[in-house]
DNA sequence: CTGAAAGCGCTTACAG
DNA sequence: CTGAAAGCGCTTACAG
């Protein structure tokens, strides 16, 4: 490979010092002679010179790069939020490095270490529930860090969250208004104490109470993705099966749809269905799916904005804030009550 | 923020020189005393020292990072291929920086420049059709570069491609066997001369010829995504509308499904449908969708493997190779011929 | 208005 | 077996 052009080549060619070329690159034109500037500009064009960002970063102790670690990229939520973060960063000349922890704290830890050794200027994380010490160390060092989607007990930093209780409430209310009272909620594993899942269950219970509906523990199912279908079998073989299901997220939804399809259970006829998270095919599904939409763009944008703010004002250490965002309901179908209503 | 620990801190604390610590970090234990090694190991643990990758990269002139630029991340193909690339790279201790050109050559150019200034060791690209000069410069410098999914005229480098003609042939044959002869093909814009689109049209024509079916230019529709529905209206208002449609990719499919849904056209009843690209809901759609699946994992893996090979053997300059991958057909429904057959 | 010098945190030939 | 020195390609106070 041909040798890369360096600042020294430019300096020699232009007949000035490296310092002056550097001033030019950093747009410190205050005291620079018109001719000098023109000369440098010309040589840079001629040589097609591109500054070495690595060298600059080493000296400046800032890489203009942030890391983003998401717990699981398979959630549409993650990809949408990432897109929003990238947009904000691009507008501000910041690069992003995206990492997918794959729901694995060990992987998350490796990415954390890699990102830090790459000297990133800040970090946005949808955390797994591990690595408390590492995060707390970063927080105590005042390292720019923003959490997204989840709160982990014992970690106190700025966090952008959905109003998860409201999401459940919207779902319960919509189903109730369509005549459902036997409402189940199915979501991926609860073991990890992950905020959205826990809060959505909590919101579900509160919404039922408000409607004076008895909470039935058998209607609350949490399991890892591969076991969801098993849980659905449990639900449908109850002596009093639910007439409607709330799906906790998009991946859970796919399991439910696959299960009902395989078993000839008709959505909106045999069972009401509503899901948290928008999916691409909601409107063209038979029947169209009623969904609870997260403002992913707003949430990602906010997280990025907070982070950039923190990076720019490292000295000031504000009290951590939690930013809550409202979900919204898109009624499309799939929630009708057709069977007998027992009341 | 607290001062970061450097190699010097470790050296001082361990009572050895920076050189020796560096030897340790690079696992050059050949001549290192047992005690020295233990001492350094202990201090690194104690101080929780993480080497500064930026400094190392500057000296080594290698960043162990590759860039990946995809033309449009909204295609499921892109995200799947990216995942495969990341897997290979992770296994080899290589980081990846993902960029989405958003079908915009200007954006692609900016990403190219940014990535190069970040001193990436290699690059995998699903190219737009611009930036010929930049790519050719890289190729002439023997910079490790692999193209994916598309060939751009005038660019000669290793490329991983689908056998696009075969994809069309599979589609035509499947529809024909289900009684269709009036087969349309709809895909996103042809303006850009993008390989898959062009080859798929070509393969479509050849497959029809082989079946002795007259090619009807009115059955061939290419337009950018936002105009697809308009093209569908044109198709369906023909005096002899097609009885089946081949969708060129997943995003086109969404437009077709949205259009048929809105207009009460029943897939598999009023119109046969087959699409290139697998979609998450294919199996649970009503009716289940017949798809032509690309071996995205294999293709991404191959691209990454070729690239890593190139990075490791920079001296040898092989003749560029094109690697073709076979699509496969998953028959699920949506292709039945119900209307009158004119023959 | 411009340049010489020091230094960012590493690695690596080389000396001993 | 270990260390002093040079250098990767930049930036930045400071001198003039």
């Amino acid at each position: 490979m041909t040798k890369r052009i360096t600042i020294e080549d430019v300096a020699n060619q232009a007949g000035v010092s490296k310092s002056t070329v550097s001033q030019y690159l950093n747009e410190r034109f205050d005291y620079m002679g018109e001719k000098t500037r023109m000369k440098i500009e010309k040589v840079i064009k001629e040589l097609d010179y591109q500054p070495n960002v690595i060298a600059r970063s080493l000296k400046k102790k800032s890489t203009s790069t942030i890391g983003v670690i998401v717990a699981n990229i398979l959630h549409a939520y993650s990809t949408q939020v990432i897109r929003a973060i990238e947009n904000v960063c691009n507008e501000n000349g910041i690069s992003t490095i995206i990492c997918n922890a794959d729901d694995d704290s060990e992987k998350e830890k490796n990415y954390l270490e890699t990102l830090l050794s790459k000297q990133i200027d800040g970090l946005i994380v949808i955390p797994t529930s591990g690595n408390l010490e590492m995060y707390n160390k970063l927080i105590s060092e005042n390292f720019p860090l923003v959490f997204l989607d989840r709160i982990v007990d014992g970690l106190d930093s700025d966090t952008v969250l959905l109003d998860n209780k409201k999401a459940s409430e919207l779902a319960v209310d919509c189903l109730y208004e369509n005549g459902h009272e036997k409402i189940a909620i199915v979501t991926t594993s609860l073991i990890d104490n992950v905020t959205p899942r826990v809060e959505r269950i909590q919101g579900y219970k509160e919404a039922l109470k408000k409607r004076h509906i008895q909470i039935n523990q058998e209607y609350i199912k949490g399991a890892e993705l591969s076991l969801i279908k098993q849980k659905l079998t449990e639900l449908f073989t109850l002596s009093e099966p639910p007439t409607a299901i709330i799906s906790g997220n998009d991946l859970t939804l796919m399991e439910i749809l696959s299960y009902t399809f395989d078993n000839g259970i008709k959505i909106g006829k045999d069972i009401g269905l509503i899901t948290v998270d928008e999916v691409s095919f909601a409107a063209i599904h038979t029947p169209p799916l009623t969904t609870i939409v997260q403002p992913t763009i707003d949430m990602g944008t906010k997280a990025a904005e907070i982070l950039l703010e923190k990076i720019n004002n490292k000295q000031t250490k504000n009290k951590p804030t939690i930013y809550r965002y409202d979900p919204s309901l898109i009624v499309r179908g799939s929630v009708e009550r057709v069977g007998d209503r027992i009341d």
Side-chain angles (χ1 to χ4, degrees), chain A:
Chain A
M1 214 172 112
T2 351
K3 195 189 151 298
R4 290 213 159 279
I5 310 291
T6 72
I7 198 171
E8 189 155 21
D9 301 322
V10 176
N12 290 339
Q13 186 85 12
V16 297
S17 75
K18 292 191 292 174
S19 314
T20 307
V21 178
S22 180
Q23 312 279 26
Y24 174 90
L25 294 174
N26 291 283
E27 298 182 336
R28 298 188 162 195
F29 298 132
D30 323 21
Y31 299 106
M32 193 175 294
E34 172 79 354
K35 281 157 285 173
T36 313
R37 180 171 36 173
M38 305 272 282
K39 225 172 8 182
I40 296 174
E41 191 172 339
K42 184 159 150 284
V43 172
I44 286 179
K45 282 262 162 58
E46 276 174 18
L47 299 183
D48 194 19
Y49 167 68
Q50 287 276 30
N52 181 327
V53 167
I54 296 289
R56 171 180 294 168
S57 297
L58 180 60
K59 183 66 196 172
K60 281 203 164 180
K61 291 167 156 287
S62 141
T63 51
S64 293
T65 302
I66 67 158
V68 181
I69 306 180
V70 299
N72 187 338
I73 194 110
L74 292 177
H75 285 288
Y77 177 86
S78 303
T79 57
Q80 286 161 24
V81 139
I82 286 170
R83 223 113 70 202
I85 293 171
E86 285 179 330
N87 282 343
V88 174
C89 288
N90 278 345
E91 280 165 19
N92 290 276
I94 304 288
S95 299
T96 49
I97 301 181
I98 312 298
C99 306
N100 170 26
D102 220 3
D103 281 332
D104 179 344
S105 290
E106 225 20 68
K107 278 198 192 178
E108 182 184 44
K109 188 179 169 210
N110 286 333
Y111 279 126
L112 267 170
E113 285 172 349
T114 306
L115 288 172
L116 291 173
S117 67
K118 279 176 180 283
Q119 314 298 118
I120 50 165
D121 293 342
L123 186 59
I124 297 177
V125 191
I126 302 181
T128 69
S129 0
N131 304 312
L132 278 214
E133 344 66 60
M134 287 198 72
Y135 286 122
N136 270 324
K137 182 156 177 256
L138 290 176
I139 292 168
S140 73
E141 287 173 355
N142 204 20
F143 182 86
L145 172 61
V146 174
F147 290 112
L148 190 54
D149 187 51
R150 300 175 177 181
I151 287 185
V152 176
D153 269 354
L155 291 184
D156 207 20
S157 191
D158 285 309
T159 306
V160 176
L161 284 180
L162 185 73
D163 187 336
N164 288 295
K165 286 192 182 179
K166 183 156 182 198
S168 297
E169 204 177 312
L170 284 174
V172 168
D173 286 359
C174 173
L175 290 169
Y176 183 85
E177 282 160 18
N178 279 277
H180 294 281
E181 296 199 350
K182 291 189 232 162
I183 300 170
I185 184 164
V186 179
T187 189
T188 34
S189 180
L190 302 174
I191 306 170
D192 280 329
N193 261 17
V194 172
T195 329
R197 301 170 192 170
V198 172
E199 290 183 349
R200 284 172 202 173
I201 301 278
Q202 188 62 28
Y204 158 86
K205 288 182 179 171
E206 288 175 12
L208 288 183
K209 272 191 200 139
K210 212 182 283 178
R211 300 296 195 177
H212 306 293
I213 301 174
Q214 179 92 38
I215 290 161
N216 182 345
Q217 284 297 337
E218 289 177 322
Y219 285 179
I220 302 176
K221 296 290 186 188
E224 60 174 275
L225 209 57
S226 61
L227 300 176
I228 291 285
K229 289 186 180 175
Q230 196 173 307
K231 295 292 171 189
L232 290 170
T233 301
E234 289 174 21
L235 272 184
F236 282 105
T237 53
L238 286 174
S239 57
E240 283 204 17
T243 63
I245 297 178
I246 299 171
S247 156
N249 56 54
D250 54 349
L251 298 184
T252 303
L253 174 72
M254 294 314 292
E255 294 302 303
I256 296 175
L257 292 179
S258 168
Y259 180 89
T260 52
F261 183 88
D262 289 345
N263 290 280
I265 301 167
K266 300 288 178 212
I267 306 288
K269 189 152 166 262
D270 304 326
I271 189 88
L273 179 63
I274 191 166
T275 187
V276 179
D277 287 338
E278 179 67 315
V279 288
S280 62
F281 57 91
I284 53 134
H285 188 266
T286 314
L289 300 174
T290 295
T291 58
I292 309 252
V293 184
Q294 303 197 45
T296 50
I297 306 299
D298 294 347
M299 293 174 78
T301 302
K302 185 69 180 181
E305 286 172 353
I306 301 170
L307 187 67
L308 297 191
E309 170 66 21
K310 283 186 164 204
I311 291 173
N312 292 329
N313 301 303
K314 264 199 173 175
Q315 63 293 359
T316 62
K317 192 168 189 170
N318 294 329
K319 222 176 88 233
T321 312
I322 292 179
Y323 302 85
R324 286 277 178 185
Y325 280 76
D326 278 345
S328 51
L329 177 73
I330 301 187
V331 181
R332 292 200 184 89
S334 78
V335 289
E336 293 77 11
R337 175 81 174 98
V338 177
D340 314 337
R341 178 151 182 191
I342 302 163
D343 48 6

